[in-house]
Amino acid sequence: MGFAYLGIGIGGATVPWISHVLVQHFGWQAALRILGFSIVIVSLPLAMLVKEPPRARIKSGSVASASPKIAFKQVSFYLLTIGSMCSIAAVSGTQQNMKLFLSLDRALHAADAVGVLSLVWL
């Protein structure tokens, strides 16, 4: 989970800058396509590098390797899932509305709004 949140933080801090440059050069439709393709190009090879851990040997008196079925039976798993979803939703919802707030209500230039959005993610 820590690595996932690290990626979200790095992406959230850099993507506003990248998307601003792309929109200025190519328009928002092409910028959206470029960002989508770049996410696939970056994340797909990384996902292929993830390897399954070796199966733990079952010895008498030892604990067997963790099973997803066991996790789904734990209350802590659901609390962690709900907490993670709420955390990501809060940050994403804030970021999505903040650019409109800064550009329309506060009359900031798009480049200045992007700078503020990047600081929010850090």
Side-chain angles (χ1 to χ4, degrees):
M1 287 298 269
F3 286 113
Y5 282 124
L6 181 64
I8 291 168
I10 291 171
T14 57
V15 168
W17 292 101
I18 295 168
S19 66
H20 177 69
V21 171
L22 291 173
V23 167
Q24 294 297 318
H25 285 41
F26 305 109
W28 71 269
Q29 295 95 343
L32 191 59
R33 284 188 204 104
I34 292 168
L35 284 173
F37 284 128
S38 64
I39 289 170
V40 171
I41 290 169
V42 170
S43 63
L44 189 60
L46 292 175
M48 296 298 182
L49 291 175
V50 176
K51 296 180 180 174
E52 291 289 327
R55 294 266 184 197
R57 294 183 182 166
I58 299 174
K59 297 179 183 176
S60 59
S62 68
V63 177
S65 65
S67 167
K69 292 178 183 177
I70 294 171
F72 287 120
K73 293 179 182 177
Q74 302 293 321
V75 173
S76 58
F77 172 79
Y78 293 102
L79 292 175
L80 181 62
T81 302
I82 291 169
S84 296
M85 288 182 351
C86 290
S87 171
I88 293 170
V91 173
S92 296
T94 301
Q95 186 194 27
Q96 290 171 4
N97 291 297
M98 188 175 287
K99 186 173 184 219
L100 292 174
F101 170 73
L102 293 173
S103 62
L104 298 178
D105 293 345
R106 297 293 178 195
L108 281 178
H109 188 267
D112 296 331
V114 165
V116 174
L117 288 175
S118 292
L119 287 176
V120 167
W121 279 94
L122 295 176

